[in-house]
Amino acid sequence: MNEQMKKFIEQIKSTWDNSSKKAKIIFFSAVGILFVAIVAVTIATTKKNFVPLYENLSREEVAQIKEELDSQNIPYEITDGGTAIKVPEEHSERLLVELAGKKIPSSGNIDYSFFSQNASWGVTDNEFNMMRLDAMQTELANLIKSIDGVEDAEVMITLPEPSVFVSDEQQEASAAIVLHTAFGHEFEKNQIESLYHLVSKAVPNLPPENIVIRNQYLEYFDRTDSEFENEFTYQQTVKREIEKDIQRRLQQMLGTMVGMDRVVVSVTADVDFTKENREEQIVEPVDVDNMEGIPVSIETITETFEGTDAGAGIVGAGDEDIPNYPAGLQGQDGDYELVKETVNYELNRIQRDIVEAPYKIRDLGIQVVIDNVVGVEDDELQMLTPAEQDAVEEGVTSILNSIITTSIDKGYGEIEPEDAEDKISIVFQPFSHRDAGAADDEATRSIPIWAYIVGGVLLAIIIVLLVLLLRKRKEAEEFETELEEDTIEDFEEEIPDLMSQQPKSEIDIQREQIEKLAKENPEDFAKLLRTWIAND
C-alpha cells in the first residue's frame, strides 16, 4: 500500500516537473476558482437573509421591539438611523403576529380606540377632554402620514374653552402642524390647499386661516388662493392676446403705407370679464301684423227663450207664502237669444338660456408713432411737410377709427367718430437717423487705446500660432512621405524579381538579341529587316 502511494506521488511529481509553465498556471487558476466558488456557496447558504420588520418607527418603539427580540434570542439589525429594524426572513411573519398580539410597538399616543377599551364612569370632564384632544391629534397625524412625501407629522390642536354664557359669537379652534417631509420632495400648490382643507374639515370649527403648517426646516407652506391666481392669469393672458392681435394687424397695415421700420404701434385694451347667465321666456303672436295667434279651439254657446215673462208680485204674507219674497204674478209674453263664442289661440313661446361671452372689449386706446424723416441730403434730415403730415394723419386716423368702432362691444354704446378720436394718439417724431460716417467716428472715439493694443497682441499671437501649426503639419507630412518611400524601397529590395528568376524561352532570347541589335547597329538592323520582308 505504501509502495503504491509512493509510486503515485512520484508519478504526480514527474508529471508536474514535465508540465509546461502554461499548464501550471492553468492548474493554479482552476484551483483558485474552485476555492472561491466553494467559499461563495458556503457564505450564501449560511448567511441569514434579513428583511424589514418595521420601518419609520420612533426610537421608543424600536426599543420596545429590541427588548422583545432579545428576550427571544432572535438576531436583528437596526437601520435607517434607529427608525427601522430587520429580522431573519424565516422569523418575520411569526414576529409580526406575535408582536401585534402583545400590542408592540406602542407609541404611547391615544387614539379613538382608547375610549372603547377604557370606558369608565370615574373619568372627569377635564380628563375626558384631554384624552379626546390627544386622540384627535393622533388620528389627524396618522391621516397626514399617509400622504405621499410625508414621513412623519406632529399635530397640536387648540380648542376654544366652552363659555357658560349664551353668545352669538362662536369661538374658533386653531392648529399647528409640523411635517417631516422626504428629502427633495416638493408639494404642488393644489396639494398644499388640499392639506389645509383636510385639516379644516377634520377639526370642528377650524377655519383654514387658523392653520399653520411648516416642515422640519422651518419652511412654511403658505396657503394661496389658486382659483384667484388662475383667474388672474387667464384674464391677463386674454388681455395681452387682444392687444397683440390688434397691434400686429395695425403694424402690418400702417407699415405697408409708410414703411415697416418707420411706424411703431402700441395698443391698450380695457376688457370686461363679467360673466352673465340669464334665462328669457318670450311669448310672441304668430301673426305679428294682426297681433293674433293660431286658433286651436273654438267654443260657441247659443241660448234662446220664448214664453211668458213673470211679472212682479208683492211680498208674500199668506200661510203658504215665503216671507219677504214677492209672490208670483202672471206676466207678458217675450223671448231672448244669447250667443257666446270662445276662441283659444296658440302663441309662440320662446325660451332662451343665454350665456354671455367670457369677455368683452370695453375700451380701446391706440398710440402710433410715425417717422417724419424722408431722407438725408447734404448731411441734413429731410422732414415731411405739414401738408404731407396732415394727409398721413388723416389716413391713419380713418383706419384707427374703423378698428375702434368695430372692436369695442356694442353693449357699451355706439362709438361716434369724435369719441373715437379721443382714443387715438398719433405722433410724428424723427427716429434715430445719423450719418454713417459720424457714427463710425463716434464709435472709433469711444474705443480706448488699450483696446487696440490688446487686440494687436492677440492678433499677433494668433498669427504665430497659425504659422507654427502649419509648419508642424508640413514637417509631419514630409516625414510621412519619406517614411513611405523608405518602406517601399525596402519592400522592393526584399521581394525578388520573380520574372528574372524564371527560365527564358528561345523567343525571349531572340527578342532580346533583336532589341540589342536595333539599339547598337540601327543600319544592320534595317538591312536585316528588309531581308525578312523580301523573303516573306
Side-chain angles (χ1 to χ4, degrees):
M1 184 68 182
N2 294 331
E3 292 179 357
Q4 292 180 357
M5 182 64 67
K6 289 180 180 179
K7 290 181 180 180
F8 180 72
I9 293 174
E10 290 177 358
Q11 185 178 2
I12 292 175
K13 287 181 178 180
S14 61
T15 304
W16 177 260
D17 295 335
N18 297 329
S19 300
S20 63
K21 185 178 182 180
K22 184 176 180 182
K24 294 178 180 179
I25 293 173
I26 293 174
F27 175 76
F28 280 116
S29 301
V31 172
I33 294 173
L34 180 61
F35 177 76
V36 172
I38 294 172
V39 172
V41 171
T42 304
I43 294 174
T45 54
T46 57
K47 184 180 179 180
K48 295 182 179 180
N49 184 24
F50 285 82
V51 296
L53 182 64
Y54 287 104
E55 293 179 332
N56 298 325
L57 298 175
S58 64
R59 288 177 174 82
E60 292 80 4
E61 295 171 336
V62 172
Q64 296 174 8
I65 300 175
K66 175 180 175 298
E67 183 179 358
E68 181 65 24
L69 294 178
D70 289 337
S71 64
Q72 299 184 19
N73 295 323
I74 296 177
Y76 57 85
E77 292 180 359
I78 298 177
T79 59
D80 296 341
T83 60
I85 189 166
K86 294 182 178 181
V87 296
E89 186 176 5
E90 60 270 15
H91 299 293
S92 61
E93 296 181 356
R94 179 180 62 82
L95 287 174
L96 284 174
V97 177
E98 291 182 359
L99 293 176
K102 296 179 181 180
K103 298 182 180 179
I104 299 176
S106 175
S107 62
N109 296 326
I110 299 175
D111 55 13
Y112 287 131
S113 63
F114 177 83
F115 299 99
S116 61
Q117 298 172 1
N118 298 275
S120 175
W121 293 97
V123 179
T124 63
D125 291 342
N126 290 334
E127 291 175 343
F128 178 80
N129 291 334
M130 289 300 297
M131 290 188 295
R132 183 170 66 91
L133 179 61
D134 194 2
M136 186 182 300
Q137 294 175 161
T138 303
E139 292 291 342
L140 185 57
N142 294 333
L143 190 62
I144 296 175
K145 289 179 187 177
S146 63
I147 299 175
D148 185 25
V150 178
E151 296 181 348
D152 196 5
E154 300 175 8
V155 179
M156 178 173 289
I157 301 173
T158 303
L159 296 176
E161 292 291 338
S163 177
V164 296
F165 301 100
V166 178
S167 175
D168 295 334
E169 184 179 359
Q170 189 176 10
Q171 300 295 324
E172 296 177 346
S174 61
I177 302 174
V178 179
L179 302 179
H180 294 267
T181 58
F183 179 76
H185 186 83
E186 294 184 0
F187 293 96
E188 301 292 338
K189 291 183 178 180
N190 58 342
Q191 292 176 324
I192 296 175
E193 182 67 21
S194 300
L195 184 58
Y196 273 91
H197 187 71
L198 174 68
V199 177
S200 176
K201 296 302 181 182
V203 180
N205 198 25
L206 177 59
E209 54 269 15
N210 288 1
I211 302 173
V212 176
I213 303 176
R214 69 172 181 84
N215 60 8
Q216 68 270 33
Y217 307 109
L218 297 180
E219 297 175 347
Y220 282 91
F221 297 101
D222 295 328
R223 180 172 176 263
T224 58
D225 192 351
S226 57
E227 182 177 358
F228 172 77
E229 183 178 354
N230 295 336
E231 185 70 19
F232 176 78
T233 303
Y234 164 74
Q235 293 180 3
Q236 292 299 314
T237 302
V238 171
K239 183 176 180 295
R240 284 194 297 268
E241 288 297 327
I242 293 174
E243 295 173 348
K244 188 185 298 183
D245 180 64
I246 298 176
Q247 186 267 344
R248 183 172 57 251
R249 287 187 293 163
L250 285 175
Q251 185 76 38
Q252 183 178 3
M253 188 179 302
L254 299 180
T256 306
M257 295 174 55
V258 300
M260 287 295 181
D261 57 343
R262 299 186 59 195
V263 60
V264 178
V265 180
S266 176
V267 179
T268 55
D270 182 13
V271 183
D272 184 9
F273 290 95
T274 303
K275 298 180 180 179
E276 181 181 359
N277 299 336
R278 67 175 184 270
E279 180 179 347
E280 294 182 354
Q281 293 182 354
I282 303 173
V283 180
E284 294 179 352
V286 179
D287 187 357
V288 181
D289 297 333
N290 299 323
M291 297 300 292
E292 292 182 353
I294 300 175
V296 295
S297 63
I298 301 175
E299 181 182 9
T300 303
I301 300 175
T302 303
E303 294 182 2
T304 58
F305 176 79
E306 293 181 0
T308 303
D309 186 12
I314 60 176
V315 178
D319 296 335
E320 297 180 357
D321 295 333
I322 300 174
N324 299 326
Y325 191 82
L329 297 177
Q330 186 175 2
Q332 299 177 356
D333 295 336
D335 56 14
Y336 76 93
E337 182 179 0
L338 173 64
V339 178
K340 181 180 179 181
E341 184 178 30
T342 302
V343 181
N344 295 322
Y345 292 94
E346 182 65 29
L347 304 177
N348 291 334
R349 303 180 185 274
I350 303 173
Q351 181 175 353
R352 298 174 181 172
D353 294 330
I354 301 175
V355 179
E356 294 290 342
Y359 58 86
K360 299 177 182 178
I361 300 179
R362 183 163 42 199
D363 201 357
L364 201 63
I366 303 176
Q367 301 81 36
V368 180
V369 181
I370 300 176
D371 185 12
N372 60 350
V373 176
V374 178
V376 180
E377 185 176 353
D378 297 334
D379 296 335
E380 292 184 359
L381 299 177
Q382 301 295 322
M383 305 289 187
L384 291 174
T385 62
E388 292 174 340
Q389 288 189 11
D390 293 340
V392 174
E393 183 175 1
E394 183 179 357
V396 173
T397 302
S398 176
I399 295 173
L400 300 184
N401 287 340
S402 176
I403 292 289
I404 291 175
T405 54
T406 55
S407 298
I408 297 179
D409 192 85
K410 302 300 181 183
Y412 299 101
E414 294 291 335
I415 306 298
E416 300 296 334
E418 54 273 12
D419 297 333
E421 292 179 359
D422 297 337
K423 307 177 187 299
I424 298 171
S425 175
I426 302 175
V427 178
F428 289 90
Q429 177 70 32
F431 285 6
S432 179
H433 287 277
R434 295 185 299 175
D435 183 64
D440 294 339
D441 294 341
E442 182 178 353
T444 303
R445 288 193 299 270
S446 62
I447 301 176
I449 298 176
W450 62 267
Y452 289 104
I453 297 175
V454 173
V457 172
L458 292 176
L459 182 61
I461 292 173
I462 292 173
I463 293 174
V464 172
L465 291 176
L466 289 176
V467 172
L468 293 176
L469 181 62
L470 293 175
R471 182 180 298 176
K472 186 175 181 180
R473 182 178 297 177
K474 186 176 181 181
E475 292 177 354
E477 292 178 354
E478 292 177 355
F479 176 76
E480 291 178 359
T481 303
E482 293 177 358
L483 183 62
E484 290 178 357
E485 292 177 354
D486 295 341
T487 304
I488 293 172
E489 291 176 358
D490 296 339
F491 183 74
E492 291 178 348
E493 292 177 357
E494 293 176 358
I495 299 176
D497 189 2
L498 299 178
M499 297 298 296
S500 62
Q501 296 180 1
Q502 294 180 359
K504 298 181 180 179
S505 61
E506 295 181 358
I507 298 175
D508 294 335
I509 295 173
Q510 292 178 359
R511 184 183 295 109
E512 291 178 357
Q513 293 176 353
I514 293 171
E515 291 177 354
K516 184 177 181 181
L517 179 64
K519 292 179 180 180
E520 295 178 356
N521 298 315
E523 296 179 356
D524 296 340
F525 176 73
K527 293 178 181 179
L528 179 61
L529 185 62
R530 284 196 293 270
T531 303
W532 285 348
I533 294 173
N535 293 331
D536 291 338

